[in-house]
């Protein structure tokens, strides 16, 4: 019997990186078990490290941390090179939208301080003289990028980890996993291991290990192949002349990458018709095997690459590598707590294991050590997919992600695979009334409404085709009455004698009085914003909570963890309830036709009541995320359609219409309302986010209280501001840098056009508090003047809300 504080299941760069970082952080009795050789599959990796090219700051940091580890830290610690080649890397394009994407990522990188260079065709020729420039508009260059020998890097981390007390068991497959009391019991081929913490870092075997843990791991092995050439004369000549290694080059339109490998080249194609492999379990005898070549699948891509890099045709094919790599539904790794399980973690699902592995191990080690991730984790959190992400979903999305590995990442992008997993009770009614749907945590929800049957959204970095449709929706809400399907909310109930104390201590605010509504922010131990709950205290022993759709598993975990020691019952009623938003100056008149409840003085803003509509019981919350008089109407799922039809009929004389998520986003920005996951993140405190009026640090205990108080007094704390931007053909969306006197001092977290005010608006964090003059925002490479608004531009005194 072996006892471990942490058992890591799976080797390769991900598992070994975690072991390396945990032992360096002082964890003891860290054991890693691996079915095969420690570096199995490492030689399959051929591409560069994509050092900074990512649309999300957390993904950028994972990759940049990996590069620093391979390039600097490991050689210093071991005294040995791990095969890092500082070649640089570029992406080239003939697509104008791609140039917009390049400009957007380059803007984010100015804030994160990982500078990228936008390339002209002439500059492409300077950096990569073997490239044919025909038809190219330009590109983007990552000077710090390179490639590494995965086997050397993995072994170097393993050596440091074992020197720090870690233990590695090779060729020891896991047979079963179960929970016994306060520990995990793992049966392996070489004996049983009891562990306090268990980490699934099994990669290709991640789904199977997850199944043993009682989890659904939404990852799929996909076959990827690349070819290695013999000597390419042009490359050999460069080496003989003492020239630098060619930068890695990627053509996302043709879907390939090419990099130098000694005096030859490696070509890696990504076909659009991807091939899943061993979806329901890897063959027992599979180790570090490779599949036979399958050139027919990628012949057209190889031909395109040779047209762009003619030298590829001058070297014969020396070898072909065809092996599995794992893809999740969004191609990002699964990192963090395993939903519903105590002391269980995931570090798997990465299609770019070597690129992200060194940083991913650091990320999870920090989370396990400090109780919170080092950066906002939403892009990688292992709970961003729920039980609805079933086999059909994970396969369809993995195929889609593989085929769109080099796809343009547009703002407001909706990809079509594996839709209709979770449907509102009035889904069909929304479609009949022109809803164009988007996906939110598996749910179908109306993004906007069209008057054309079968209309779809255009993808663009400029104003899309739904801009005018959204303007009409907002006019309806502003001047008449608008109805929205808000059923995607996560919904929870708390019942029991300790309900008030439970709510008082779950976040930084205190519980509202019975019949009233409040907001509370649950914090990380470091004082960052973990979750945001709307709390309706129905009675002292009954509370109803709602939160963001994407937060469902995270918030469910949080509430269950917090319930320990309280005399309460906490339940997740997300699937049981539907929600309608009834908003606008005529909302009261519409609702008054359906209920005998006093809706004037007897139903003030931020209060709740149980009412009857069409003979159905409704929890009516007088609150609004859009800045107008209105109600959220929560009811049993089976009753929602009847309630909806009754409201629609009652509202006809008041010109009732419908609005979607895009209209709501525009209107909430005009009120300066923050959004969880975009503006509210674990990195910043509620005070920094501008909702300090909801923070009551005295008189009650809550997680992160002392850290919050300490951060509130620091001079280097950040500040969120609402900006008006002077823009032309493009509106802000997210991740645009804010400049002051030529220095990047902030970042846009959300933005859009405010149709009621005629303003382009954005919420932004500033690293330096108090900046008010000489601010600009760079959008797609162009500077826009930015003005800080001291009050929300729409109804700053909340007169319409309180009407």
């Amino acid at each position: 019997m072996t006892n471990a504080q942490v058992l890591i299941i799976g080797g390769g760069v991900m598992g070994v990186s975690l072991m390396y970082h945990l032992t360096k952080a002082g964890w003891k009795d860290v054991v890693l078990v691996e079915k095969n050789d420690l570096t199995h599959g490492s030689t399959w990796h051929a591409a560069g490290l994509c050092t900074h090219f990512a649309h999300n700051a957390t993904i950028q940091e994972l990759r940049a941390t990996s590069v620093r580890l391979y390039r600097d830290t490991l050689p210093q610690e071991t005294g040995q090179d791990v095969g890092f080649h500082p070649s640089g890397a570029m992406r080239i394009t003939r697509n104008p939208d791609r140039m917009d994407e390049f400009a957007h990522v380059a803007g984010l990188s100015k804030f994160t301080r990982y500078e990228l260079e936008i390339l002209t065709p002439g500059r492409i020729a300077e950096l990569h003289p073997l490239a044919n420039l025909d038809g190219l508009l330009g590109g983007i260059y990552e000077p710090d990028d390179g490639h590494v020998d995965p086997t050397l890097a993995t072994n170097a981390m393993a050596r440091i980890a074992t020197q720090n007390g870690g233990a590695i068991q090779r060729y020891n497959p896991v047979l079963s996993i179960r929970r016994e009391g306060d520990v995990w019991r793992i049966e392996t081929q070489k004996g049983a291991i009891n562990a306090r913490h268990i980490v699934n870092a099994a990669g290709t075997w991640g789904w199977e290990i997850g199944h043993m843990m009682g989890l659904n791991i939404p990852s799929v092995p996909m076959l990827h192949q690349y070819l290695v050439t013999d000597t390419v004369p042009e490359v050999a000549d460069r080496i003989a002349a003492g020239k630098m290694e060619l930068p890695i080059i990627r053509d996302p339109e043709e879907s390939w990458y090419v990099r130098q490998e000694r005096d030859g080249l490696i070509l890696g194609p990504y076909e659009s018709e991807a091939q899943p492999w061993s979806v329901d379990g890897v063959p027992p005898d599979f180790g570090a095997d490779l599949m036979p070549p399958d050139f027919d699948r990628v012949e057209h891509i190889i031909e395109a690459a040779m047209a762009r890099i003619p030298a590829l045709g001058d070297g014969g094919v020396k070898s072909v590598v065809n092996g599995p790599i794992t893809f999740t539904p969004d191609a990002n790794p699964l990192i963090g707590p395993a939903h519903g399980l105590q002391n269980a973690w995931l570090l798997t699902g990465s299609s770019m294991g070597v690129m992200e592995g060194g940083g991913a191990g650091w990320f999870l080690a920090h989370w396990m050590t400090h109780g919170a991730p080092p950066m906002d984790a939403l892009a990688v959190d292992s709970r961003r997919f729920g039980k609805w992400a079933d086999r059909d979903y994970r396969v369809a999305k993995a195929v889609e992600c593989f085929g769109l590995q080099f796809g343009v990442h547009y703002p407001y992008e909706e990809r079509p695979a594996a839709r209709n997993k979770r449907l509102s009770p009035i889904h069909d009614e929304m479609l009949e009334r022109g809803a164009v749907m988007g996906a939110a945590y598996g749910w179908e929800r109306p993004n906007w409404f069209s008057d054309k049957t079968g209309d779809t959204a255009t993808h663009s970095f400029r104003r899309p085709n739904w801009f005018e449709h959204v303007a009409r929706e907002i006019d309806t809400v502003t001047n008449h009455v608008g109805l929205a399907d808000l059923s995607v909310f996560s919904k929870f109930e708390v019942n029991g004698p300790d309900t008030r104390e439970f709510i008082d201590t779950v976040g930084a605010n205190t519980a509202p009085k019975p019949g009233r509504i409040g907001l509370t922010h649950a914090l990380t131990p470091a004082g960052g914003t973990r979750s945001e709950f709307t709390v309706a205290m129905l009675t002292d022993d009954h509370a109803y909570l709602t939160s963001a759709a994407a937060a469902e598993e995270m918030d469910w975990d949080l509430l269950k963890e917090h319930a320990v020691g309280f005399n309460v019952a906490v339940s997740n009623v997300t699937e049981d309830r539907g929600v309608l938003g009834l908003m606008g100056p005529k909302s009261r008149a519409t609702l008054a036709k359906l209920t005998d409840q006093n809706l004037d003085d007897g139903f003030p803003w931020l209060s709740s009541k149980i009412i009857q509509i069409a003979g159905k019981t409704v929890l009516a919350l007088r609150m609004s995320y859009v800045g107008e008089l209105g109600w959220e109407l929560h009811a049993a799922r089976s009753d929602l359609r009847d309630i909806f039809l009754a409201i629609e009929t009652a509202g006809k004389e008041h010109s009732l219409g419908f609005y979607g998520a895009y209209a709501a986003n525009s209107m909430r920005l005009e009120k300066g309302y923050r959004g969880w996951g975009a503006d509210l993140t674990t990195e910043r405190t509620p005070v920094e986010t501008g909702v300090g009026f909801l923070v009551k640090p005295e008189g009650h205990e809550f997680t992160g209280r002392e850290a919050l108080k300490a951060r509130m007094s620091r001079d280097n704390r950040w500040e969120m501001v609402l900006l008006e931007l002077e823009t032309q053909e493009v509106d802000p969306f997210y991740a645009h840098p804010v400049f002051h006197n030529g220095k990047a001092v902030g970042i846009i977290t959300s933005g859009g056009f405010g149709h009621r005010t005629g303003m382009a608006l954005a919420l932004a964090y500033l690293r330096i508090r108090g900046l008010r003059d000489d601010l600009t925002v760079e959008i797609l490479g162009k500077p826009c003047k930015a003005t800080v608004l001291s009050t929300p531009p729409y109804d700053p005194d909340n007169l319409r809300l309180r009407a």
Side-chain angles (χ1 to χ4, degrees), residues 497-539:
D498 293 346
T499 295
R500 174 164 292 279
E501 184 181 358
F502 176 95
I503 298 298
D504 274 341
T505 54
V506 78
N509 201 354
T510 54
K513 296 178 180 179
R516 302 294 294 175
I517 302 167
L519 276 178
T520 193
H521 297 93
L523 307 185
T524 69
T529 305
R530 179 176 173 182
S531 298
E532 180 183 63
F533 293 105
T534 297
V535 180
M537 288 297 296
L538 307 183
T539 64

Side-chain angles (χ1 to χ4, degrees), residues 369-517:
T369 301
H370 300 285
M375 297 181 66
D376 186 64
L378 188 57
V380 299
D381 195 301
S382 54
R383 298 163 295 181
R384 68 187 185 276
F385 303 105
K387 61 183 179 180
W388 46 267
D390 56 16
R391 185 188 191 279
D392 290 345
Y393 180 89
R394 63 187 175 96
V395 172
K397 294 302 286 187
V399 169
E400 181 182 63
C401 280
F402 188 101
L404 293 174
Q405 177 74 355
F406 291 127
V408 178
H409 292 265
Y410 292 100
Y412 309 106
E413 181 181 27
E414 297 283 353
R415 291 184 172 180
R419 297 292 295 270
N420 296 310
K421 301 306 293 186
R422 305 176 84 182
L423 301 180
S424 155
I426 56 170
H427 175 76
D428 290 345
E429 283 70 25
M430 292 289 95
L431 291 178
E432 290 169 2
R433 286 149 183 81
V436 180
M437 292 290 182
Y441 196 65
W443 289 100
E444 294 293 309
R445 71 170 180 188
N447 279 341
W448 55 285
F449 287 81
S450 175
D451 51 7
K452 299 178 183 177
T453 303
D455 207 354
T456 59
T458 57
H459 290 147
S460 174
F461 288 89
R462 315 287 161 152
R463 283 185 175 169
N465 63 327
W466 44 260
F467 184 84
E468 295 300 333
H469 294 272
V470 167
R472 288 195 291 272
E473 294 170 36
I474 292 173
D475 179 73
T476 294
V477 175
T478 306
N479 297 303
H480 307 287
V481 56
L483 191 59
D485 184 0
L486 306 179
S487 298
V488 300
F489 286 160
S490 300
K491 315 167 197 78
F492 308 94
E493 290 206 52
V494 183
N495 290 275
D498 293 346
T499 295
R500 174 164 292 279
E501 184 181 358
F502 176 95
I503 298 298
D504 274 341
T505 54
V506 78
N509 201 354
T510 54
K513 296 178 180 179
R516 302 294 294 175
I517 302 167

Side-chain angles (χ1 to χ4, degrees), residues 766-787:
L766 301 179
R767 284 191 176 115
I768 304 171
R769 291 180 298 115
L771 294 178
R772 294 296 181 268
D773 300 319
D774 301 319
L775 294 175
T776 59
V777 172
E778 182 182 297
I779 303 180
L780 305 185
K782 296 181 179 179
C784 307
K785 182 181 178 181
T787 301

Side-chain angles (χ1 to χ4, degrees), residues 580-765:
L580 299 173
L582 185 67
M583 306 292 163
K586 301 298 183 181
S587 60
R588 178 183 283 117
T590 299
L591 197 55
K593 297 180 68 175
L594 300 167
T595 180
D596 56 5
Q597 177 71 50
N598 178 2
L599 299 179
D600 294 306
D601 296 339
F603 208 152
W605 183 42
L606 296 181
S607 64
S608 65
K609 290 184 181 295
I610 302 294
I611 66 174
Q612 297 291 313
I613 297 177
K616 310 297 183 182
T617 299
V618 175
L619 172 60
L621 309 181
R622 189 177 162 189
M623 56 182 298
S624 169
Y625 195 51
V626 301
E628 302 289 349
L629 168 70
W631 281 263
E632 285 183 11
L633 305 172
H634 298 244
R637 179 183 183 89
S638 58
D639 293 339
L640 199 70
R641 183 177 182 274
D642 290 343
I643 296 167
F644 166 79
L645 294 174
I647 293 172
E648 183 180 39
T649 299
K652 283 182 179 179
E653 68 177 273
H654 302 297
S655 302
L656 180 143
F658 305 94
Y659 71 95
Y662 293 164
N665 185 61
S666 170
M667 292 185 280
R668 68 98 178 176
L669 285 167
E670 291 177 307
K671 293 293 293 179
Y673 292 159
R674 278 58 167 162
W676 179 88
D679 314 310
L680 297 160
T681 76
T682 57
E683 295 178 32
R684 308 264 64 93
T685 69
V687 175
E688 291 173 294
T689 310
V691 293
F693 62 95
L694 297 172
V695 171
K696 298 174 183 175
E698 306 301 336
H700 65 125
E701 296 293 328
F702 54 90
T703 298
R705 176 175 176 265
E706 297 307 315
L708 173 66
K709 291 170 66 176
R711 290 175 66 171
M712 286 169 63
S713 64
R714 292 178 187 168
D715 290 337
N716 65 347
R717 66 185 184 275
W718 290 17
E719 176 188 27
M720 175 162 273
V721 294
L722 180 62
L723 299 173
E724 178 188 3
L725 307 182
E726 295 183 9
T727 63
Q728 297 284 330
E729 57 188 20
V730 60
D731 297 315
F733 39 97
Y734 52 80
H736 312 297
V738 182
F739 290 87
H740 179 257
N741 293 333
K743 180 180 178 181
V745 296
I747 192 72
I748 300 294
T749 52
S750 58
F753 187 81
H755 290 271
R756 294 176 298 193
T757 59
M759 295 179 176
L761 299 167
L763 287 164
Y765 279 116

Side-chain angles (χ1 to χ4, degrees), residues 299-310:
E299 182 178 5
H300 62 292
I301 304 177
I302 294 173
E303 291 174 352
M306 287 183 173
R308 182 63 67 193
I309 312 289

